[in-house]
């Protein structure tokens, strides 16, 4: 299910924000801010940690997925965007070989935006939202794919979970091959608490 390239409508840089880059040849150790492709971060997690409200993180296209060592909590009003505009070109995932279970992203800021990215491999047992979790503060997912994520028993939203009273917005997103593997669980693809 190809979504193709999206128009660049959400990731406009603000007057106070900076653009940070992530690519596989980057470095998280000798970091100078990641403000160019040549000084890029190697991981999405390090770029998110270095960012603040108004920043834009551009993840360069790669056939190799960008793995995350733990759940990335987006607590600032930042935009994380696949550089090409095609979510199939940038995969951010929990590796299948990970020793522990965790989701890929948690939105915890109404100004947080995830755009043009595939989120894959999130797997949780004791909480809801295998791939993505929106807290009540919300956030926005635009033109993304959530694939191959799961939750265990008594939980909800194998792909995406949106918390009660959340201001979350999902636009032009695809949720596929996500499951709820346990008893009394709900929403293999997504769950919305009202």
């Amino acid at each position: 299910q190809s979504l193709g390239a999206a128009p660049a409508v959400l990731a406009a840089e603000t007057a106070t924000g900076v653009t940070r880059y992530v690519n596989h040849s980057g470095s998280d150790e000798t970091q100078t801010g990641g403000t160019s492709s040549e000084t890029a971060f190697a991981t999405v997690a390090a770029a998110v940690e270095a960012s603040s409200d108004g920043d834009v993180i551009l993840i360069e296209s790669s056939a190799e997925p960008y793995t995350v060592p733990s759940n990335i909590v987006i607590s600032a009003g930042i935009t994380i965007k696949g550089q090409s505009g095609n979510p199939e070109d940038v995969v951010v995932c929990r590796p299948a070989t990970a020793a522990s279970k965790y989701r890929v992203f948690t939105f915890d800021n109404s100004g947080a935006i995830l755009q043009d990215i595939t989120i894959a491999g999130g797997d949780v047992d004791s909480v809801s939202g295998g791939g993505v979790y929106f807290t009540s503060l919300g956030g926005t997912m635009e033109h993304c794919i959530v694939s191959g994520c799961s939750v265990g028993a008594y939980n909800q939203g194998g792909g995406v979970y949106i918390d009660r009273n959340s201001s979350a917005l999902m636009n032009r997103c695809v949720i596929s091959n996500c499951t709820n593997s346990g008893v009394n669980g709900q929403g293999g693809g997504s769950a919305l608490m009202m």
Side-chain angles (χ1 to χ4, degrees):
Q1 302 161 344
S2 177
L3 292 178
V9 292
L10 290 179
E13 187 173 344
T14 66
T16 58
V18 292
T19 300
R20 301 183 192 282
Y21 293 81
V22 176
N23 65 42
H24 285 298
S25 59
S27 171
D28 293 343
E29 278 81 46
T30 57
Q31 198 39 254
T32 59
T35 56
S36 73
S37 184
E38 293 76 28
T39 63
F41 287 95
T43 65
V44 177
V48 168
E49 186 175 316
S51 296
S52 58
D53 287 346
D55 288 358
V56 175
I57 298 171
L58 287 178
I59 306 173
E60 294 183 17
S61 300
S62 177
E64 179 184 346
Y66 292 89
T67 58
V68 297
S70 62
N71 174 39
I72 296 176
V73 178
I74 310 169
S75 57
I78 62 175
T79 297
I80 304 170
K81 180 179 176 12
Q83 191 172 28
S84 75
N86 183 347
E88 295 173 345
D89 291 344
V90 174
V91 176
V92 179
C93 68
R94 175 191 156 274
T97 58
S100 61
K101 294 186 173 196
Y102 51 89
R103 73 176 56 93
V104 181
F105 286 106
T106 296
F107 281 84
D108 199 28
N109 186 299
S110 61
I113 299 169
L114 198 59
Q115 184 179 5
D116 304 327
I117 293 172
T118 294
I119 298 104
D123 186 10
V124 295
D125 275 335
S126 58
V127 294
S128 295
V132 177
Y133 174 71
F134 285 96
T135 69
S136 60
L137 295 176
T140 300
M141 279 179 56
E142 168 77 24
H143 197 237
C144 290
I145 298 170
V146 180
S147 180
C149 298
S150 65
V151 294
Y154 304 102
N155 294 297
Q156 303 165 339
V160 177
Y161 181 82
I162 301 175
D163 206 355
R164 188 178 315 273
N165 301 319
S166 179
S167 61
L169 173 66
M170 293 180 63
N171 187 31
R172 297 181 338 118
C173 294
V174 172
I175 301 171
S176 68
N177 299 317
C178 295
T179 62
N180 184 318
S181 60
V183 296
N184 294 328
Q186 301 169 353
S190 64
L192 170 63
M193 292 303 295
M194 302 296 276

